[in-house]
Amino acid sequence: MTQDILSRLADTLEARKQADPQTSYVAKLYGKGLDAILKKIAEEAAETIMAAKDGVREKVIYETADLWFHSLVLLAQQGVRPEEVLNELARREGLSGIAEKAARKE
């Protein structure tokens, strides 16, 4: 189910590349380019951090959803499907974080 919503969102975000920026927030963001998308992710990450510091569960959920959404916008802009990220997470499952990080240095 979770993978289904990510896939559906990815499809929608891909379709928004052809949408009118006057009527689509995502199309407008794509039109502004990579730096605007990255800035939005940074803003959402900061808001997620502040929500966590406030300790209000609902705010953490809301802000994390915004962060994930804008991360999906970035993935679509870069031509990456969320399934590819999920595959990478699956690959790492059961690996020690320390061992995984050390393997990247080789």
Side-chain angles (χ1 to χ4, degrees), residues 88-100:
E88 176 61 15
L89 289 171
R91 183 191 69 79
R92 294 181 187 185
E93 187 176 16
L95 289 178
S96 158
I98 294 170
E100 195 280 329

Side-chain angles (χ1 to χ4, degrees), residues 23 29 46 67 69 83 96:
T23 60
L29 198 52
L67 177 58
F69 176 81
E83 294 85 0
S96 158

Side-chain angles (χ1 to χ4, degrees), residues 39 41 45 47 62 64-65 78 81 99:
K39 181 179 177 187
I41 290 172
E47 290 173 6
Y62 182 87
T64 300
Q78 296 286 303
R81 294 284 304 181

Side-chain angles (χ1 to χ4, degrees), residues 1 4-5 8 18 45 52-53 57 68-69 74 77 94 99 104:
M1 182 170 144
D4 292 343
I5 194 161
R8 287 194 311 270
Q18 309 306 318
K53 292 288 258 176
R57 187 175 193 275
W68 287 10
F69 176 81
L74 172 65
Q77 191 268 349
R104 283 187 273 154

Side-chain angles (χ1 to χ4, degrees), residues 50-63:
M50 290 185 292
K53 292 288 258 176
D54 289 345
V56 179
R57 187 175 193 275
E58 292 78 16
K59 287 172 74 175
V60 172
I61 292 167
Y62 182 87
E63 296 301 342

Side-chain angles (χ1 to χ4, degrees), residues 31-49:
K32 291 180 179 179
L34 179 60
D35 285 348
I37 295 168
L38 296 175
K39 181 179 177 187
K40 193 63 185 170
I41 290 172
E43 288 173 14
E44 297 302 343
E47 290 173 6
T48 302
I49 291 166

